[in-house]
Amino acid sequence: MMPILFFPFLLLSAIFAQQGQSLVKPGSFLTPTTNSSWPSPSGLYAFGFYKQGNGYAVGIFLAGLPQKTVVWTADRDKPPVPADSKLNFTTDGRLVLQSAQGAETGLASFPEGASSVSMLDTGNFVLLNSANQTVWQSFGFPTDTFLPTQNLSHGQALYSSISETNKSTGIFLVLMQEDGWLAMYPVGTPYTLDYGYGGLGISGQKNDVVLQLEADGHLYLINGAGTIIVNMTDGYLAKDVVYRLTIDPDGILRLYSHDMNQNGDWTIKWFNPNNDVCMPKGLCGINGYCVAIDLQVGCNCLPQFEFVNKEEKSSGCQRNFTIAESCKSDIHAMEPVPNTVWENNNYSIIISTTQDNCGEACLQDCNCEAALFKDGVCTKQRLPLRFGRRVHTDSTVALIKVGKSTPTIDGYLPKESKKEHYRLDILIVGVSLLAFALVVLAISGIAVYRIRVWSYKVISNHGNTVLGEDVAPKSFTYAQLEKVTGGFKEELGRGAFGTVYKGAIWNGVGQRIVAVKRLDKLLAEREREFQTEMKVIGRTHHKNLVRLLGYCHDGPNRLLVYEYMSNGSLADVLFTPQKQLSWNERMEIARKIAKGILYLHEECESQIIHCDVKPQNILMDAHRCPKISDFGLAKLLKADQTKTFTDIRGTKGYVAPEWHRKLPVTVKVDVYSFGIVLLEIICCRKSVDHDRPEEEAILEEWVYQCFESGELGKLVNNEEVDKKQLERMAKVGLWCILDEPSLRPSMKKVLLMLEGTVDIPTPPSPTSFLSAI
Ligand SMILES: *[C@@H]1O[C@H](CO)[C@@H](O)[C@H](O)[C@H]1NC(C)=O
Ligand SMILES: *[C@@H]1O[C@H](CO)[C@@H](O)[C@H](O)[C@H]1NC(C)=O
Ligand SMILES: *[C@@H]1O[C@H](CO)[C@@H](O)[C@H](O)[C@H]1NC(C)=O
Ligand SMILES: *[C@@H]1O[C@H](CO)[C@@H](O)[C@H](O)[C@H]1NC(C)=O
Ligand SMILES: *[C@@H]1O[C@H](CO)[C@@H](O)[C@H](O)[C@H]1NC(C)=O
Ligand SMILES: *[C@@H]1O[C@H](CO)[C@@H](O)[C@H](O)[C@H]1NC(C)=O
Ligand SMILES: *[C@@H]1O[C@H](CO)[C@@H](O)[C@H](O)[C@H]1NC(C)=O
Ligand SMILES: *[C@@H]1O[C@H](CO)[C@@H](O)[C@H](O)[C@H]1NC(C)=O
């Protein structure tokens, strides 16, 4: 075991022993096969030849690791050179590639007349003059990788590679912008919000913002005043670990680490964009759209299109038939591709229309090859459609003009039999494109320049309401949230603490739907605690807790910005008969809620007692995964729930009895509320339901009766469920709702009981200990 573990170190020391010097003098040379590289003093990095395709390229790689990771390539877009080439550092100080025949090609951008060259341990390859001053450095000309101590300042970009094995320029870039934003775009698009797909930054910065990476993996944006404006990571272990930031061929910017003491692969420490692998625009080429399947990129073609190259999905899709020249509408049809977003290159817009009329308008229009329809707006498009991806939450429908399914003479024939037509089509399209281009050129002129300047402004304007995924809760002004919610237009609901509105925020990656809660009753003495508390809540990270994204503490206004949960609350799901959840789904939900509460009680930085656990406060995400909301607020707000739920018959609703008795409030109040919620989940009914027969109206009483009489089946309306499991769930619920707080189990115990890991004793009657208090 040991020798394998320490293999990289052995390698390092071996290299170190052989090559002591780091300055390379004129007259030295490298060949791809023998003496192929100049290592850095420690041997971690090396400059020289590495294998690429069926030849060799010149670059910098991590020689100290078993798998050579290339971090820089000279002339990355030039073809590889054969094995008999030579890299010659000539006596007159030029770095040139020489072929076996003696032909010389200068390596681009290397200045002439260097006195020495040196591969540094930072991964920077430098050319020095006779005074040992750096006259050129590879760090100034990054390819796809950024290393500790390197700087990326405004105007500089990293470009992705074609693939892991082909280091030629790929299709994505990450740019340090003039406005201080680090932003990601597909290569060849304008640097505007419409095309950006990822990035980070904050508004109001100048062009002095620099991206930096420390040796410990601390990745951040820092401005000219020396203020760190965004921390992407806080840094990790520095000893024997190497870090690199790479924009990968799939367009995602990833921070990798490699532990020199381990033989493993690179580990991903951070990445952006981090919410959808389909975010990088153009992954599937033209006329194709990206669909995320289990965090993998999947590509689909438009209907009646097929991949240009099945092996290389990013090459895009083409029609597998020839569109008819005549545009009689009866030979074409419109086929919808729902929930997909595309670049909008409309040439004509119809507003206030329906999807059917939109399709019809395109069918009638010979120029129209597709239409995008959303919210009553129809935009007619010509092919190709670019940057398509499926967004389940977006209602855009792409309508594609296709041949009718029953092929007709002109309409829908395989390509081969209509070659003539095909060429004619190309000609027509070509001529019209040329004409169009000329017109555009003629009329636009200065406009192009304007758009460019303006585009930066757009980004910084949006920056006002930015929300980096990785930045802890952000402080907003009231005006910003007013904008985010469109003037508090769409109300999502009202709760004990305030009203919730729907809003949309630019999070540096795209639009993000959020829920903005306007608090009404802040306790005056808690005023100063507000921001501290927001930070505490903001630091909670659990998959069963709704995330706080931001807050507003502006004059008298207190608002909270949460992630948006598209499936309403558990109350909606549980008490709506049409949404009936299966027993197994319900049990899963109960366990997840318990995990969320357990986290609040025992696992987060400072203990949080929720004080208001109820189905209305448990929200369901798009995958019907429950997330607890409103935690951490009880401290700040009037706890008036003690009154709200007291029922005429003395039932306590979700509120533990100690609330009424002025006993100290402990985590056990949440256990009580959870118990009630659990019983509701088991029975799919509300805890108080006066529409039911008298003996069933109060849930906890009814459950206890059924439990005592051994008729638990009644609780689930004789639904087919695992009897043992049902009994276990009912027992857990009954233990949780005991009047005496100290007798209720902790959430940890509750979870163990729910999971069946521990035995559950028979619970006493919920009120049996009341007299003892
Ligand atoms: C490799 O370089 C070393 C010195 O740097 C030299 O002694 C050795 O002969 C070279 N080997 C070959 C095969 O050129
Ligand atoms: C890398 O990809 C480019 C573009 O697809 C191609 O032209 C080049 O030949 C490839 N290089 C190698 C070494 O495969
Ligand atoms: C390097 O280039 C110089 C000038 O082009 C040439 O004289 C010399 O022989 C070359 N060195 C080798 C090892 O080929
Ligand atoms: C440059 O550095 C080398 C090695 O560190 C040293 O031997 C040499 O004297 C230096 N030259 C000058 C001009 O400082
Ligand atoms: C990066 O920037 C810092 C401070 O601005 C500077 O000291 C350092 O030399 C720069 N590094 C490189 C490789 O340019
Ligand atoms: C980033 O982290 C550093 C410490 O590593 C801290 O000093 C700084 O305030 C942080 N900046 C932001 C914007 O969070
Ligand atoms: C074109 O592709 C569609 C699937 O997208 C297929 O149903 C149809 O048969 C294909 N037509 C031809 C002519 O290959
Ligand atoms: C139509 O396309 C232009 C750019 O080509 C875009 O600015 C505009 O927003 C689009 N209109 C609609 C309604 O999407």
Side-chain angles (χ1 to χ4, degrees), residues 328-397:
K328 281 183 289 164
S329 61
D330 57 343
I331 53 172
H332 293 138
M334 299 303 289
E335 196 166 327
V337 184
N339 307 112
T340 48
V341 296
W342 304 84
E343 174 184 31
N344 193 343
N345 260 333
N346 60 77
Y347 64 90
S348 166
I349 299 173
I350 309 163
I351 54 166
S352 309
T353 188
T354 61
Q355 183 174 329
D356 285 350
N357 289 343
C358 179
E360 196 52 39
C362 186
L363 277 180
Q364 301 296 342
D365 179 349
C366 295
N367 288 319
C368 183
E369 294 173 292
L372 301 179
F373 177 78
K374 183 184 185 177
D375 298 339
V377 178
C378 175
T379 57
K380 294 198 230 168
Q381 314 279 325
R382 292 189 186 87
L383 294 181
L385 287 185
R386 290 202 297 177
F387 303 152
R389 64 185 181 101
R390 171 138 292 153
V391 179
H392 291 287
T393 52
D394 191 292
S395 61
T396 305
V397 179

Side-chain angles (χ1 to χ4, degrees), residues 487-507:
F488 301 101
K489 204 170 55 202
E490 196 178 335
E491 193 178 310
L492 291 172
R494 265 168 211 271
F497 300 141
T499 313
V500 187
Y501 301 90
K502 192 169 177 175
I505 264 172
W506 165 254
N507 66 352

Side-chain angles (χ1 to χ4, degrees), residues 302-306 320-321 412-414:
L302 293 176
Q304 294 187 11
F305 279 67
E306 59 192 15
N320 68 350
F321 70 100
Y412 178 30
L413 287 177

Side-chain angles (χ1 to χ4, degrees), residues 457-473:
K457 287 224 183 82
V458 169
I459 289 185
S460 31
N461 282 345
H462 278 259
N464 289 332
T465 48
V466 68
L467 219 44
E469 287 290 326
D470 311 279
V471 185

Side-chain angles (χ1 to χ4, degrees), residues 23 130-132:
L23 279 190
S130 53
N132 280 355

Side-chain angles (χ1 to χ4, degrees), residues 565-576 579 581 614-621 626-627 629:
M565 297 284 112
S566 56
N567 257 325
S569 71
L570 177 62
D572 299 332
V573 180
L574 207 54
F575 309 138
T576 311
K579 292 189 181 169
L581 295 162
K614 58 183 180 185
Q616 290 76 9
N617 279 341
I618 296 161
L619 304 183
M620 309 296 283
D621 76 3
K627 291 181 185 228
S629 77

Side-chain angles (χ1 to χ4, degrees), residues 117-174:
V117 299
S118 183
M119 181 70 244
L120 306 182
D121 270 334
T122 52
N124 195 5
F125 181 72
V126 296
L127 271 61
L128 305 173
N129 64 14
S130 53
N132 280 355
Q133 286 161 333
T134 302
V135 292
W136 186 93
Q137 54 178 338
S138 62
F139 271 9
F141 303 86
T143 55
D144 65 350
T145 297
F146 183 76
L147 295 171
T149 74
Q150 194 165 356
N151 296 333
L152 198 70
S153 49
H154 72 91
Q156 284 190 301
L158 307 177
Y159 284 78
S160 66
S161 296
I162 298 267
S163 67
E164 293 299 331
T165 50
N166 184 342
K167 292 288 174 180
S168 297
T169 308
I171 58 173
F172 299 106
L173 68 99
V174 55

